[in-house]
Amino acid sequence: MSILTINEELFIGSGGHQATYIHPHDPTKCIKIPHSQDDGDVRKEMRYRRMCAGKLARSRLVTEFFGTLETNLGLGYVFERVLDYDGKTSRDMKAFLPKTRPDSATLQRIWTILLNFKSDFLRENIAIVDTDIENFMVQEPAPGSYRVRIVDNIGTPVLIPLVYWFEFAAAWKAKRYWNRIVEWLAVNYAEIIPPELAAQLKG
């Protein structure tokens, strides 16, 4: 079996569970290398993707998974790379949201992005593990057009995952986690998410 060589020039970033690199032969894909080959977070996501493959194939939010391959850094998991129209890596939501109140046009654009994210999230009922907004990327696939993508921490660690088999359970959990996201944003980005918007965002 051939081993794909990855070097540090391809490095995108590193989180608590894995490091991410640009695929050396296809820049539209990325390769995630777990820090530990027995990482429970990776196993959880792979189980979710396997058991809910049909649902995820129709998802606007969750990035596509292309399988695994051997690399010089260990077993790699190949995913869609979230890119903007200009070929640059999209920003995660924490990097995208401004620290201070922007001009009115930018503020309206942010509100529209978040309201569209709510619509997609509560329609798809994707299972997520936590509400860290760095797991959400704001993609600009065409100038002035935006969508949010979920790139990490999907699935559930519970032994009997009812959310995989029953849509009512998935909807209940999605709504609960969505409201946690809104509450966190309302506290940490109070200048751009006033109470009236937070009320609209609540599920």
Side-chain angles (χ1 to χ4, degrees):
M1 179 184 295
S2 61
I3 296 178
L4 185 70
T5 299
I6 298 175
N7 58 50
E8 289 306 309
E9 293 179 358
L10 301 170
F11 180 73
I12 296 176
S14 183
H17 296 274
Q18 52 203 356
T20 304
Y21 298 83
I22 299 170
H23 194 301
H25 300 156
D26 187 348
T28 67
K29 296 183 176 71
C30 64
I31 302 173
K32 296 183 180 181
I33 311 290
H35 300 318
S36 167
Q37 288 299 314
D38 191 36
D39 187 274
D41 188 71
V42 174
R43 291 200 311 272
K44 165 188 58 62
E45 177 171 343
M46 290 301 105
R47 180 174 67 152
Y48 183 50
R49 286 184 176 274
R50 183 174 63 254
M51 297 179 68
C52 298
K55 176 178 183 175
L56 295 180
R58 300 186 297 272
S59 174
R60 279 177 45 84
L61 294 173
V62 178
T63 51
E64 188 173 356
F65 173 60
F66 298 102
T68 62
L69 47 72
E70 290 291 341
T71 80
N72 58 311
L73 302 178
L75 183 66
Y77 295 77
V78 184
F79 292 89
E80 169 193 357
R81 183 179 168 207
V82 182
L83 299 170
D84 290 342
Y85 69 92
D86 57 5
K88 294 180 180 178
T89 300
S90 302
R91 287 176 288 174
D92 66 56
M93 188 172 287
K94 186 174 182 180
F96 180 84
L97 294 176
K99 304 296 183 183
T100 57
R101 189 178 180 90
D103 61 81
S104 58
T106 301
L107 190 62
Q108 186 60 54
R109 181 166 63 246
I110 292 169
W111 290 4
T112 299
I113 291 168
L114 292 175
L115 287 167
N116 288 339
F117 183 27
K118 170 191 176 180
S119 177
D120 288 339
F121 192 89
L122 296 183
R123 182 183 66 255
E124 296 188 7
N125 297 328
I126 300 300
I128 60 174
V129 177
D130 61 40
T131 56
D132 184 352
I133 65 170
E134 289 182 292
N135 295 325
F136 310 137
M137 299 189 77
V138 181
Q139 184 180 30
E140 189 178 4
S145 174
Y146 297 87
R147 60 189 288 204
V148 176
R149 311 297 304 282
I150 301 176
V151 297
D152 207 358
N153 270 352
I154 65 170
T156 176
V158 302
L159 186 61
I160 303 176
L162 296 179
V163 296
Y164 294 0
W165 298 314
F166 301 105
E167 195 60 23
F168 74 87
W172 174 81
K173 184 176 182 182
K175 183 176 179 179
R176 185 168 62 124
Y177 272 74
W178 174 257
N179 285 335
R180 288 183 186 177
I181 294 168
V182 174
E183 289 165 4
W184 189 90
L185 289 171
V187 170
N188 291 276
Y189 291 89
E191 289 194 36
I192 61 173
I193 302 179
E196 59 269 25
L197 176 63
Q200 290 183 58
L201 286 172
K202 280 291 186 75

